Structures are given as structure tokens and as C-alpha cells.
């Protein structure tokens, strides 16, 4: 068995390299369609189709396609407009594969959609990174306003007595001034919390009330910032692609990232309460267990997270 | 001495494992220091809820470093990690002058803990790269370190983000400490 595994590991790249073109050629001759067409016609719309298109493009040895991929991979640092990129991609593939748009009218729209999603995902990564590297600055009135807005949204019945106050600990910051708590997540951490508190206000306040539980309590904001880090890493290593591509009604954008975060927070809270931790010192192992289960779901091509907005009355 | 004990002693002198406890107020830089020791990326740190642990190889020692969250709510749990500690590393944000008293208070309470009695103490005067950082000697004065007579101690200025001074502190740990147990 071990021998077989190492055998497969050793030969798989060779097989991919030599056999793949052969299989592709055979299928092309029998179906009269190129691989990208077979994917765009045969695979269900969403992550399945877009990810297969991406794999097919990445495995291509044609210099034109290689430069296409190089362009896609640089979206996070250079500004490459979506329309330009889509036009260029469609044009390149249509000419290279000799696909006539009049004969195959469905191909271009379907393929464009996949390219738009791939481009949108990379753009989202760039936007998220821009927010993350922006450090919270107490001298910036915009930052300060957002922090106050967070308080007002999540503690509507309790006025904040001062800018620097122990009250911040009630929503789970560490001390009397939240400014040092965002650390490596920067403004991304605050924007995530603020989105949760405003767009899913009821859910966020329910989660906050759980965080005050006498035995299973935790620090709402600090756990939130740790979950920002989880969402951030899932976005960057590409594992969030399945979920993002399956939400097909809009292109990847910041709102989708915030919603993914809200889902993680809401579900983490439930997971935490169900685990019945002895105390807060169990946070890291339980977080790791939670992350593992989320990553397991994301590995499935049909995964789509939806916040289950069932709010219990307490 | 029995053969078994002899063998055990021999084995332990080969392994040289140290249990290091990293404490300090929140935002002192404990997790950054831990990650720096493990040569990991320090740009994505988040506040520690609970604790982190890492094993690091240094100067022929295997260091098991426990980084416990520093916020007030978590401090009562510190004592759960005192047992079998070989070295206590106390991290101070040298630029947070407002909380120097608070950190001095926490440290003096730690030094009266029975389970930590005689445990060598390394103090990192962290964030020396910041403009308003107090010098290590000023901090030593504020914390009245000269009154510590019951253990070996050292104060080391450092910047955990750049790594400056971190190695010097760890060298002190490895040259001045012999593992108590095993």
C-alpha cells in the first residue's frame, strides 16, 4: 500500500504531463468541444464550474494562457480592470481554441462569468489586504467614528460614558481603550465587527449576550478579531473560493467577505456554547476544532454558507 | 543511586528541556515575542484569548514556551501555569508609561507566588523601537528590581517586532539556567 502511494505520488505529475493532452485530444475529437467548453456546458454554475475553468487554465502550456494566468495572479498588486481582463480572456480563448461565437453562442457568456468571478476574488483579496494593513489610529476621526458607531449599534440602551472607559470591556475589548486591540488585523477587524453589529444586529446582540455567560463567557470583540484573522486566512489561501463562487447572485465583493465573517462568528458562538468549555483558556483548541470543521465544509464544491438567523429568546 | 535513576539523570542532561512562562499585561508583545522566537511571521498577530504554546530549539535546549493572555480577565488563570516553570519571562511595553504602575504591581505579585519562588526572571523591556519608550534602566528603577534578592534576574531592552535584543535575552536564559526537574 505504501509502495503504491509513493508510486502514485511519483508518477502522477508524469501521467498528468503526458496523458492529459492525450485524453484531451481524444475528447476533443469525439465531442468536438475543447476542455473549457465541456466545463462551461457540463458543470453546474458556481464553484464547480469556475474552479474547473481555473484548473484547466492553470494546467495549460500555451504561452497565451500562461500570460493570462500571470495577469490574474497580479490582480492583487496591480490594478487590472475587470472589463479589460474579461475581454482579453474571452478573446484569447476564442481565437486560440477556434471557437466561433455564432456557432457556440452560450460559451462566451458562461466563460466570462467564470473569469469575472476569478478576477473578483483576487480584487477582493486586494481590498481586504488594504483594510488589514491600515492600522487603527486614534487621531483619525473616521476611525474614531466607526468605533463609536460599533458601540451604539451593539449597546443601543447604554450610552458610552467616555472615549476611554472600562465600559469597552463589556463588549469584550481588553482594557479601557480598544485602539491597541486590533493589532495585525488593523481596520479590517473593526469593519468586520461593525458590519456584524449593524447588518445582523439581532444576531450580533444575541452572540454578545452569550459572551456574558457566567461559565461559558468569552470576550466578544477579541474573539471577533481572532475570527477576522480566520476569515482572512481562508480568503488568502483560496479555501473560501467554494463559498464565494457559489453565491452566484453577485460578484465577489467586500460585502461577501463581511458576510462570511458574520457566518463564522455566529457559528463559532454556537459551536463554543455546545462544547461547554471549562473556561476561556480552552479558546485555542476549540477555535482550531471549529476551523477544521469549516475547512472541511469548504473543501466540498457545493458548499454555500448561509447565516441561519434563528434567534432564541433568552 | 540506582541504575534507573542514573540512566534517567543521564537522559535528562541530554534532553535539556526548559519550561518557560511568558507573562505581562495585554499588548506588551508576548505573542510577537513567541512568534519571533519560533522565527514565524509577526505581522498578523491578534490578541490572545487563552494561551499559545510553542517549542523552540535554542542553544542546545528545547524550550517549551507558554504565552498566556495578559488582559485583566485572564490574569486570574496565570497561576494554573506556574507549576514546573524553569524560567519566568516578563514582558513590558516600555512605551506604555500610563500602565507602568499596573505592570509593576502584577510583577511584584508574581514574585510572591510560592510556586514561582526562586524561578529565574528575565524582563524584556519591549518596544524600544517606539519614540517614547522608557529605557531599561528607568524601568528597572520604577520596578525596584534591585530589591529582588531571592532569584537570578536580568532586564533586557528589546524590540520583538524587529528582533533586536531578543537573542541576548535568550542567551542569558540558556547560560544562567539549569533545568530543575526531569
Amino acid at each position: 500500500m505504501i509502495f503504491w502511494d509513493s508510486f502514485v505520488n511519483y508518477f502522477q505529475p508524469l501521467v498528468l504531463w503526458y496523458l492529459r493532452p492525450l485524453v484531451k485530444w481524444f475528447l476533443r475529437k469525439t465531442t468536438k468541444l475543447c476542455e473549457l467548453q465541456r466545463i462551461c456546458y457540463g458543470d453546474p454554475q458556481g464553484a464547480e464550474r469556475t474552479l474547473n475553468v481555473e484548473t484547466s487554465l492553470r494546467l495549460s502550456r500555451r504561452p497565451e494562457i500562461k500570460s493570462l494566468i500571470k495577469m490574474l495572479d497580479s490582480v492583487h498588486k496591480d490594478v487590472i480592470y475587470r472589463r479589460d481582463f474579461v475581454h482579453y480572456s474571452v478573446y484569447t480563448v476564442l481565437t486560440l481554441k477556434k471557437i466561433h461565437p455564432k456557432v457556440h453562442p452560450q460559451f462566451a457568456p458562461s466563460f466570462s462569468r467564470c473569469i469575472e468571478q476569478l478576477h473578483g476574488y483576487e480584487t477582493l483579496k486586494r481590498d481586504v489586504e488594504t483594510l488589514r494593513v491600515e492600522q487603527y489610529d486614534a487621531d483619525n476621526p473616521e476611525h474614531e467614528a466607526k468605533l463609536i458607531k460599533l458601540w451604539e449599534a451593539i449597546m443601543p440602551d447604554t450610552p458610552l460614558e467616555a472615549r476611554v472607559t472600562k465600559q469597552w470591556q463589556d463588549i469584550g475589548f481588553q482594557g479601557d481603550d480598544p485602539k491597541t486591540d486590533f493589532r495585525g488585523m488593523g481596520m479590517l477587524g473593526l469593519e468586520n465587527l461593525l458590519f456584524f453589529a449593524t447588518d445582523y444586529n439581532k444576531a450580533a446582540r444575541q452572540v454578545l449576550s452569550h459572551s456574558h455567560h457566567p461559565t461559558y463567557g468569552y470576550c466578544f470583540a477579541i474573539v471577533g478579531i481572532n475570527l477576522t484573522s480566520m476569515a482572512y486566512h481562508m480568503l488568502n489561501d483560496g479555501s473560501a473560493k467554494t463559498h464565494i463562487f457559489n453565491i452566484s447572485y453577485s460578484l465577489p465583493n467586500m460585502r461577501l467577505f463581511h458576510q462570511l465573517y458574520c457566518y463564522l462568528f455566529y457559528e463559532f458562538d454556537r459551536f463554543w456554547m455546545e462544547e461547554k468549555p471549562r473556561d476561556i483558556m480552552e479558546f485555542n483548541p476549540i477555535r482550531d476544532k471549529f476551523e477544521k470543521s469549516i475547512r472541511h465544509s469548504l473543501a466540498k464544491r457545493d458548499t454555500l454558507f448561509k447565516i441561519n438567523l434563528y434567534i432564541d429568546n433568552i | 543511586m540506582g541504575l534507573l535513576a542514573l540512566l534517567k539523570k543521564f537522559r535528562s542532561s541530554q534532553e535539556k528541556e526548559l519550561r518557560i512562562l511568558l507573562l505581562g499585561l495585554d499588548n506588551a508583545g508576548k505573542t510577537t515575542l513567541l512568534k519571533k522566537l519560533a522565527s514565524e511571521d509577526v505581522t498578523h498577530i491578534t490578541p490572545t484569548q487563552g494561551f499559545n504554546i510553542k517549542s523552540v530549539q535554542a542553544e542546545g535546549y528545547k524550550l517549551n514556551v507558554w504565552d498566556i493572555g495578559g488582559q485583566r480577565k485572564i490574569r486570574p488563570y496565570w497561576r494554573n501555569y506556574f507549576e514546573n516553570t524553569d524560567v519566568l519571562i516578563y514582558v513590558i511595553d516600555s512605551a506604555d508609561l500610563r500602565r507602568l504602575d499596573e505592570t509593576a504591581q502584577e510583577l511584584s505579585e508574581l514574585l510572591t507566588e510560592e510556586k514561582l519562588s526562586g524561578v529565574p526572571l528575565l524582563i524584556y523591556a519591549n518596544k524600544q523601537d517606539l519614540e517614547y519608550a522608557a529605557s531599561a534602566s528607568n524601568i528597572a528603577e520604577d520596578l525596584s528590581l534591585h530589591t529582588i534578592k531571592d532569584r537570578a534576574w536580568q532586564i533586557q531592552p528589546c524590540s520583538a517586532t524587529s528582533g533586536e535584543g531578543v537573542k541576548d535575552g535568550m542567551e542569558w536564559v540558556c547560560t544562567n539556567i539549569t533545568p530543575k526537574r526531569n
Side-chain angles (χ1 to χ4, degrees), chain A residues 4-264:
Chain A
W4 177 246
D5 282 353
S6 57
F7 181 82
V8 167
N9 282 340
Y10 185 76
F11 284 101
Q12 201 179 22
L14 286 176
V15 169
L16 263 180
W17 186 255
Y18 290 106
L19 213 61
R20 207 180 109 83
L22 203 71
V23 173
K24 272 174 68 184
W25 175 84
F26 178 76
L27 285 172
R28 171 149 209 169
K29 288 291 157 200
T30 49
T31 62
K32 302 235 184 281
L33 297 169
C34 76
E35 186 180 44
L36 285 171
Q37 283 174 297
R38 293 196 302 274
I39 294 168
C40 287
Y41 299 157
D43 291 346
Q45 195 183 340
E48 180 76 30
R49 189 186 292 171
T50 304
L51 289 172
N52 283 339
V53 163
E54 186 183 2
T55 311
S56 170
L57 293 175
R58 283 194 188 277
L59 286 172
S60 176
R61 278 171 237 173
R62 304 292 289 262
E64 296 89 341
I65 304 280
K66 280 191 164 176
S67 75
L68 200 73
I69 287 294
K70 212 172 149 193
M71 221 181 201
L72 179 64
D73 288 339
S74 65
V75 167
H76 68 274
K77 49 180 202 292
D78 308 326
V79 177
I80 298 171
Y81 291 107
R82 189 177 81 225
R83 272 179 58 188
D84 297 345
F85 185 69
V86 172
H87 281 167
Y88 176 73
S89 308
V90 173
Y91 173 79
T92 308
V93 168
L94 287 184
T95 37
L96 204 64
K97 303 286 176 188
K98 299 190 183 62
I99 302 169
H100 200 289
K102 287 236 169 75
V103 184
H104 300 280
Q106 316 104 298
F107 176 73
S110 164
F111 178 69
S112 306
R113 179 84 190 154
C114 297
I115 293 294
E116 278 180 339
Q117 285 200 314
L118 290 171
H119 179 276
Y121 192 89
E122 295 305 312
T123 314
L124 175 58
K125 266 161 73 172
R126 188 187 66 208
D127 296 346
V128 163
E129 183 66 10
T130 310
L131 269 184
R132 187 193 70 80
V133 294
E134 187 178 343
Q135 285 296 305
Y136 186 89
D137 177 6
D139 295 328
N140 184 331
E142 262 179 55
H143 292 186
E144 289 282 293
K146 280 179 179 161
L147 189 61
I148 302 299
K149 207 174 152 200
L150 170 66
W151 176 272
E152 288 167 353
I154 204 143
M155 296 289 262
D157 304 322
T158 319
L160 196 62
E161 284 153 10
R163 167 60 184 79
V164 176
T165 162
K166 284 206 164 23
Q167 279 180 299
W168 289 113
Q169 292 174 18
D170 297 343
I171 62 169
F173 284 103
Q174 296 198 100
D176 51 17
D177 190 346
K179 68 176 183 189
T180 55
D181 283 342
F182 298 106
R183 314 258 172 100
M185 290 299 122
M187 283 303 285
L188 185 63
L190 177 55
E191 296 276 4
N192 271 168
L193 281 168
L194 186 58
F195 187 92
F196 190 36
T198 49
D199 282 53
Y200 295 94
N201 186 264
K202 241 180 150 178
R205 281 164 65 190
Q206 183 198 304
V207 169
L208 177 66
S209 77
H210 285 172
S211 80
H212 293 146
H213 191 282
T215 33
Y216 309 139
Y218 55 86
C219 299
F220 178 82
I222 298 306
V223 165
I225 292 162
N226 275 279
L227 292 171
T228 292
S229 165
M230 189 186 291
Y232 169 80
H233 285 106
M234 283 172 176
L235 180 78
N236 272 329
D237 63 23
S239 34
K241 279 181 181 175
T242 43
H243 163 73
I244 299 275
F245 292 159
N246 281 330
I247 297 186
S248 49
Y249 47 79
S250 57
L251 285 171
N253 58 44
M254 192 52 95
R255 218 184 142 71
L256 289 189
F257 180 75
H258 285 318
Q259 282 168 345
L260 170 65
Y261 167 81
C262 295
Y263 174 85
L264 289 179

Side-chain angles (χ1 to χ4, degrees), chain A residues 132 169 174 176 180-181 183-185 219 223 226 229 232 279-281 283-284, chain B residues 26-27 43-52 68 71 73-74 77 81 98:
Chain A
R132 187 193 70 80
Q169 292 174 18
Q174 296 198 100
D176 51 17
T180 55
D181 283 342
R183 314 258 172 100
M185 290 299 122
C219 299
V223 165
N226 275 279
S229 165
Y232 169 80
D279 54 48
I280 191 61
M281 301 315 274
F283 176 74
N284 276 349
Chain B
D26 53 279
N27 202 38
T43 57
H44 296 84
I45 308 272
T46 54
T48 305
Q49 185 78 312
F51 66 93
N52 302 302
I68 322 284
Q71 72 179 106
K73 265 190 192 156
I74 292 185
Y77 296 105
Y81 300 85
R98 196 170 61 92

Side-chain angles (χ1 to χ4, degrees), chain B residues 11-167:
Chain B
R11 211 178 122 247
S12 66
S13 69
Q14 297 264 301
E15 276 181 359
K16 294 203 283 190
E17 245 184 75
L18 289 182
R19 178 185 159 103
I20 297 181
L21 192 57
L22 215 52
L23 297 177
L25 303 189
D26 53 279
N27 202 38
K30 299 176 290 298
T31 306
T32 305
L33 194 68
L34 176 76
K35 295 226 170 192
K36 203 77 196 179
L37 288 175
S39 312
E40 287 177 17
D41 165 49
V42 294
T43 57
H44 296 84
I45 308 272
T46 54
T48 305
Q49 185 78 312
F51 66 93
N52 302 302
I53 174 167
K54 283 191 193 303
S55 289
V56 186
Q57 294 289 340
E59 320 268 327
Y61 284 96
K62 185 186 175 206
L63 311 176
N64 297 313
V65 189
W66 295 68
D67 156 34
I68 322 284
Q71 72 179 106
R72 200 174 277 280
K73 265 190 192 156
I74 292 185
R75 286 178 217 160
Y77 296 105
W78 282 2
R79 58 178 61 251
N80 300 347
Y81 300 85
F82 289 165
E83 208 116 20
N84 297 327
T85 296
D86 293 303
V87 183
L88 172 63
I89 297 182
Y90 194 78
V91 187
I92 292 173
D93 176 351
S94 314
D96 188 0
L97 306 175
R98 196 170 61 92
R99 294 203 295 168
L100 264 184
D101 286 344
E102 188 182 343
T103 197
Q105 176 67 24
E106 289 292 345
L107 177 62
S108 70
E109 276 172 31
L110 283 173
L111 296 183
T112 61
E113 290 285 344
E114 201 187 321
K115 281 179 181 162
L116 290 176
S117 74
V119 169
L121 168 70
L122 170 66
I123 295 164
Y124 272 121
N126 191 23
K127 307 202 188 181
Q128 290 296 323
D129 51 309
L130 296 185
E131 201 180 342
Y132 300 108
S135 70
S137 56
N138 278 343
I139 289 178
E141 212 167 291
D142 280 349
L143 270 56
S144 342
L145 294 182
H146 57 275
T147 59
I148 304 175
K149 308 272 190 224
D150 58 346
R151 67 189 76 218
W153 63 269
Q154 167 88 344
I155 183 162
Q156 171 69 46
C158 80
S159 160
T161 48
S162 75
E164 210 173 326
V166 172
K167 200 161 178 279

